[in-house]
Amino acid sequence: MDTNTESAPTQMSLRKGSMIYLSFLGVWLLMFKLAASTTWFPNDVLIIFHLVAGFILNRWVLRSLVEWHPHHATLNAVVKAKLLTFLCWPLSYAGFLGRLFLNKVL
């Protein structure tokens, strides 16, 4: 008897995941430009947004687009991948979504 009550995550389309990423990236770039070019914009807001966006992308996009293989989903590998995408999301999600797109097209 399977007592796992966790429901399977709903699958997200690659297009929807890309749009979520691009909207976060656009806001992040705008905030970065404001923080770099003005003195009135607080840098703390940029840091908080960076962490919140990375968290949301990991919880919604990564969870919906990636199915971890049971053989390769070791604790070390999953934590490393999730921390990398959480902390470096502007670059890591560009590569991640690009690889998924190429896999889908080719």
Side-chain angles (χ1 to χ4, degrees), residues 7-99:
S7 62
T10 58
Q11 291 297 321
M12 178 183 294
S13 69
L14 183 57
R15 178 178 296 206
K16 183 177 179 182
S18 298
M19 293 308 294
I20 293 170
Y21 163 72
L22 289 174
S23 62
F24 279 140
L25 184 65
V27 171
W28 185 81
L29 288 172
L30 179 66
M31 292 174 85
F32 186 79
K33 183 175 177 158
L34 282 174
S37 63
T38 64
T39 57
W40 57 267
F41 190 81
N43 292 337
D44 297 343
V45 174
L46 178 63
I47 294 169
I48 291 170
F49 178 78
H50 182 87
L51 295 175
V52 168
F55 180 78
I56 291 172
L57 285 169
N58 271 6
R59 296 293 288 180
W60 288 352
V61 178
L62 186 68
R63 182 178 283 186
S64 298
L65 292 178
V66 172
E67 183 177 327
W68 300 97
H69 191 276
H71 181 68
H72 299 289
T74 62
L75 180 62
N76 188 35
V78 172
V79 168
K80 184 178 177 181
K82 286 185 177 186
L83 275 178
L84 180 69
T85 55
F86 170 67
L87 295 174
C88 305
W89 67 265
L91 295 176
S92 61
Y93 270 92
F96 166 66
L97 292 171
R99 286 189 297 271

